[in-house]
Amino acid sequence: MGSLDGKVAIVTGAGQGVGQGIALALASEGAAIAVLGRTPDKLETTCDLVRERGADAEPFACDVADTGAIPGVVDAVAGRFGGVDILVNNAYSGGYGPLLEMSDEKFQRGFVSGPFAAFAFMKACHPLMKARGGGNIVNLVTSAMVRWDPTTYGAYAAAKQALRSLTRTAAAEWGPDGIRANSIAPHALSPGLKRWTEAFPEAAEEFRKTIPLGYIGDCEADIGNAVVALVQPGLRYLTGATVPLDGGQAYFG
């Protein structure tokens, strides 16, 4: 018996990396997983891995930047699984680089795929969670929001800071409905970061040294399992918080 038996989770960007790690960790505790992302082959891979854990899974092709389609996707998930208990807004597609080199299109896409998409998912999931007596929202933000030097991460940090504020507001407004909303700010060895560490091993080693625990987190063991803990009844009094899952690298005052 898993601690999340009978629960249904939506995880966006679950085809790989952190999203996949979170999906697998939730599945290992018995949650059924709606696997959302843009690439069907990757979604099927994650679904197969979830099913190997003994949990139910279904792929839903979804580009979160198409915010108008999100309510329909959530309705489809509810139709397949009977409801929604957990929402993990992980997907993001935006721009990185110096501000003077940042196009308006890339800057805006970061906000559309970040806080705008999360807002659409949260609103669509709210009545479904309320009908089940409550639920959990986990939004992924970043330590770049508080980094002493956010050079090249400004647009990304701006979008994530907006999402962090949105999370706090949902916690305040939806607490009476039994819905908790928290943010996590992870460092994890996603496929993109892994490619960077392999291409630039010396820079990667210097980066690792800035992490007090001495390593870059694992997508499932360090990030996914933390999300599992966060949505458990044992943390039922925690809401509106930003949890840094970065091995102690950043300071959230």
Side-chain angles (χ1 to χ4, degrees), residues 32-44:
I33 311 296
V35 180
L36 273 61
R38 293 182 296 182
T39 308
D41 289 349
K42 292 181 178 180
L43 301 184
E44 290 291 352

Side-chain angles (χ1 to χ4, degrees), residues 44-97:
E44 290 291 352
T45 296
T46 298
C47 285
D48 288 344
L49 293 172
V50 165
R51 293 171 187 137
E52 288 176 5
R53 308 290 175 98
D56 195 4
E58 186 76 25
F60 295 85
C62 174
D63 182 350
V64 299
D66 183 5
T67 57
I70 288 172
V73 173
V74 173
D75 285 346
V77 171
R80 166 66 171 79
F81 292 106
V84 176
D85 303 283
I86 300 164
L87 168 65
V88 180
N89 282 306
N90 164 68
Y92 171 84
S93 177
Y96 303 89

Side-chain angles (χ1 to χ4, degrees), residues 4-177:
L4 297 177
D5 285 351
K7 301 296 184 182
V8 177
I10 291 176
V11 184
T12 71
Q16 63 180 1
V18 173
Q20 184 183 79
I22 292 172
L24 294 178
L26 292 169
S28 293
E29 288 298 324
I33 311 296
V35 180
L36 273 61
R38 293 182 296 182
T39 308
D41 289 349
K42 292 181 178 180
L43 301 184
E44 290 291 352
T45 296
T46 298
C47 285
D48 288 344
L49 293 172
V50 165
R51 293 171 187 137
E52 288 176 5
R53 308 290 175 98
D56 195 4
E58 186 76 25
F60 295 85
C62 174
D63 182 350
V64 299
D66 183 5
T67 57
I70 288 172
V73 173
V74 173
D75 285 346
V77 171
R80 166 66 171 79
F81 292 106
V84 176
D85 303 283
I86 300 164
L87 168 65
V88 180
N89 282 306
N90 164 68
Y92 171 84
S93 177
Y96 303 89
L99 295 180
L100 291 177
E101 298 177 12
M102 179 67 57
S103 69
D104 289 351
E105 187 277 331
K106 286 184 178 179
F107 186 83
Q108 291 167 5
R109 183 173 178 85
F111 274 80
V112 172
S113 66
F116 277 68
F119 182 49
F121 273 109
M122 291 162 67
K123 286 199 301 180
C125 288
H126 174 275
L128 299 170
M129 291 180 174
K130 185 177 180 181
R132 288 163 78 94
N136 277 277
I137 297 167
V138 180
N139 291 329
L140 273 72
V141 293
T142 176
S143 60
M145 300 182 307
V146 297
R147 186 175 297 168
W148 69 273
D149 178 10
T151 299
T152 74
Y153 290 95
Y156 175 59
K160 293 295 187 177
Q161 190 68 271
L163 181 55
R164 185 186 186 194
S165 295
L166 178 65
T167 308
R168 173 63 186 161
T169 304
E173 293 184 0
W174 298 352
D177 299 323

